[in-house]
């Protein structure tokens, strides 16, 4: 006690020094994590027939605005290539001008996507088709139609939606039936996401989250050392309401397909825009939403559609086979997740329940 009393002043100074050092290093660490030089700026708009939202983490708003313009240019160029709604797009011209059994030349990058779509078509035994456009146009749900087509007309349309009637060869695409149409609707937003990430990698921004409809590109980080928290739309809630959150690191693509995006109801039944190519009718297997998380936007977008059509059991198996993570929601509001999602997914609504 005499020692403490004698050297109280020195001890106090030493303690203060250690406290200051601790605060200094803690503050230094917090600065590294929170990075006060990073600002978050959000921009909204429309592209590819859907809403677009971009949150960019950069050193200042000027930088964010520059990156926002790059993203918009990327979306515009992608739309000019693959949109069936633009009469002068590469895909629209192909659908309008091809000759049966002839080779229609297309850019190599688009042909690679068609080949990947055909691979998924074969792996899912026709549950996914890059030629679904004639059926989609017949129903017209995307254009606001609320009438169920005649069964006979649907059956007649099935053969032109059969992807076994197209092939990729010698730098072009071959259609073996008339009135067919290639369609990137089930993968287009994922393709855009991949291209956006490629452009972001050329910049020096900290991170970004870019949502194009139901597809979300998560790039980099926020500068706070924490994972991204990405909400999943409540398939039975208002737009913007989430039923769950996925905690993930950057450089991931998330795509969700659901029966709530575009639909109409008739005689107590919901008719939505995700069609089963084997029947010509909207997929009806008890699922209302499927979310896929992948390193690849094309794959996440394609598989959210394919797994939705396949149904819960086959869809879960296919997601595992393709090495992607998934969240499936049934009409009973039961939630099923693949192994990689068990720790990353969190329920945010007591209306839904995770099933083990």
């Amino acid at each position: 006690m005499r020692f403490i009393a004698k050297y109280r002043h020195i001890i106090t100074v030493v303690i203060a020094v250690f406290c200051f050092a601790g605060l200094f290093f803690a503050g230094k660490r917090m600065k590294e994590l929170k990075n006060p030089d990073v600002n978050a700026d959000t921009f909204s708009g429309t592209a590819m027939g859907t809403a677009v939202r971009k949150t960019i983490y950069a050193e200042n708003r000027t930088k964010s605005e520059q990156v926002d313009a790059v993203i918009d240019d990327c979306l515009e160029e992608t739309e000019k290539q693959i949109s069936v709604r633009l009469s002068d797009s590469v895909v629209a011209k192909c659908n309008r001008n091809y000759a049966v059994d002839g080779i229609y030349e297309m850019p190599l990058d688009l042909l690679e996507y068609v080949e990947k779509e055909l691979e998924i078509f074969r792996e899912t035994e026709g549950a996914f088709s890059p030629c679904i456009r004639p059926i989609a146009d017949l129903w017209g749900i995307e254009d606001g139609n609320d009438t169920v087509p005649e069964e006979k007309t649907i059956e007649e349309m099935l053969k032109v939606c059969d992807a076994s009637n197209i092939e990729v060869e010698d730098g072009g695409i071959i259609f073996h039936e008339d009135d067919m149409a290639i369609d990137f609707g089930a993968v287009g937003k994922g393709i855009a996401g991949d291209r956006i990430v490629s452009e972001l990698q050329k910049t020096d921004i900290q991170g970004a989250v870019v949502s194009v409809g139901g597809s979300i590109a998560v790039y980099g980080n926020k500068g706070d050392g924490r994972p991204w928290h990405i909400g999943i739309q409540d398939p039975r809630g208002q737009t913007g309401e989430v039923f769950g959150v996925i905690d993930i690191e950057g450089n991931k693509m998330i795509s969700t397909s659901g029966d709530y995006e575009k639909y109409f109801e008739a005689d107590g039944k919901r008719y939505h825009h995700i069609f089963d190519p084997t029947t010509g009718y909207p997929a009806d297997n008890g699922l209302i939403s499927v979310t896929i998380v992948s390193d690849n936007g094309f794959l996440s977008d394609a598989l959210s559609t394919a797994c939705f059509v396949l149904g819960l059991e086959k869809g879960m198996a296919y997601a595992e086979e393709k090495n992607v993570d998934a969240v499936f929601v049934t009409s009973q509001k039961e939630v099923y997740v693949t192994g990689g999602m068990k720790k990353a997914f969190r329920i945010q609504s007591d209306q839904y329940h995770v099933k083990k």
Side-chain angles (χ1 to χ4, degrees):
M1 293 295 293
R2 291 179 180 176
F3 176 84
I4 294 175
K6 184 175 181 180
Y7 296 100
R8 179 181 291 115
H9 177 71
I10 297 175
I11 293 173
T12 301
V13 171
V14 171
I15 292 174
V17 169
F18 274 106
C19 287
F20 175 79
L23 289 172
F24 172 79
F25 285 112
K28 185 175 185 293
R29 177 60 177 159
M30 288 301 292
K31 183 176 181 180
E32 290 174 353
L33 291 177
K34 291 191 175 180
N35 198 348
D37 294 329
V38 174
N39 297 309
D41 295 295
T42 298
F43 308 87
S44 300
T46 58
M48 304 182 72
T50 190
V52 177
R53 184 178 176 87
K54 300 150 286 185
T55 299
I56 300 168
Y57 293 77
E59 59 188 31
N60 54 57
R61 185 170 180 85
T62 298
K63 173 72 71 173
S64 294
E65 289 174 345
Q66 292 171 348
V67 173
D68 176 53
V70 169
I71 293 172
D72 285 345
D73 289 343
C74 185
L75 288 169
E76 183 178 355
E77 288 303 311
T78 301
E79 193 165 15
K80 286 180 179 178
Q81 268 198 314
I82 68 176
S83 175
V84 295
R85 302 288 182 179
L86 298 179
S87 62
D88 61 346
S89 75
V90 174
V91 168
K93 288 178 180 178
C94 171
N95 292 339
R96 190 167 60 245
N97 298 323
Y98 78 85
V100 175
D101 295 330
I103 297 178
Y104 187 92
E105 293 185 1
M106 291 183 71
L108 290 179
D109 58 342
L110 292 189
L111 288 177
E112 289 177 0
Y113 288 128
V114 174
E115 287 184 314
K116 291 177 181 179
E117 287 188 297
L118 290 175
E119 179 182 338
I120 296 172
F121 166 76
R122 291 187 290 268
E123 291 175 345
T124 61
E125 298 181 343
F128 176 93
S129 174
C131 310
I132 198 67
R133 176 48 48 185
I135 282 290
D137 286 342
L138 174 65
W139 281 80
I141 295 175
E142 295 173 332
D143 298 318
N145 182 59
D146 59 0
T147 304
V148 178
E150 293 290 335
E151 183 176 355
K152 182 180 179 180
T153 307
I154 293 175
E155 291 177 354
E156 292 173 348
M157 197 69 69
L158 286 179
K159 71 175 182 179
V160 298
C161 295
D162 183 355
S164 62
N165 288 320
I166 66 170
E167 58 184 306
V168 175
E169 185 177 319
D170 297 329
I173 184 170
I174 303 172
F175 296 83
H176 294 300
E177 290 283 348
D178 204 359
D179 298 323
M180 296 188 73
I182 197 73
D183 183 14
F184 287 96
V187 297
K189 298 174 183 65
I191 290 173
D194 285 334
R195 291 179 173 181
I196 287 169
V197 168
S198 180
E199 291 300 319
L200 293 179
Q201 290 172 340
K202 300 174 186 177
T203 73
D204 59 356
I205 65 169
Q206 183 82 38
V209 176
V210 182
S211 64
V212 185
S215 291
I216 303 173
V218 182
Y219 171 76
N221 61 77
K222 297 174 287 186
D224 61 3
R226 297 179 297 175
W228 297 93
H229 308 301
I230 306 299
I232 305 178
Q233 170 66 41
D234 183 342
R236 292 296 179 263
Q238 298 296 317
T239 300
E241 291 183 356
V242 303
F243 80 94
V245 171
I246 299 175
D247 299 329
I248 62 171
E249 300 300 324
N251 305 322
K252 293 288 185 179
M253 299 293 300
I254 304 171
S255 295
T256 300
S257 292
D259 69 352
Y260 56 89
E261 298 173 61
K262 299 167 186 174
Y263 70 94
F264 70 89
E265 294 182 352
D267 299 323
K269 185 176 179 62
R270 180 180 295 227
Y271 295 93
H272 55 83
H273 75 299
I274 306 174
F275 298 98
D276 183 339
T278 65
T279 67
Y281 285 83
D284 184 13
N285 50 35
L287 291 178
I288 60 176
S289 174
V290 173
T291 297
I292 300 291
V293 180
S294 171
D295 297 330
N296 181 274
F298 169 89
L299 195 61
S300 69
D301 206 3
L303 263 57
S304 69
T305 299
C307 290
F308 189 100
V309 176
L310 283 170
L312 179 61
E313 186 175 341
K314 290 183 179 180
M316 289 274 286
Y318 189 53
E320 296 277 12
E321 177 186 329
K322 300 297 284 187
N323 196 31
V324 299
D325 289 316
V327 179
F328 290 74
V329 185
T330 73
S331 57
Q332 302 301 311
K333 296 188 176 181
E334 296 174 340
V335 181
Y336 295 80
V337 300
T338 53
M341 281 287 97
K342 289 182 178 179
K343 292 183 178 180
F345 176 77
R346 295 178 285 120
I347 283 286
Q348 298 291 294
S349 169
D350 58 11
Q351 299 296 310
Y352 295 83
H353 307 280
V354 176
K355 303 291 288 187
K356 295 182 180 180

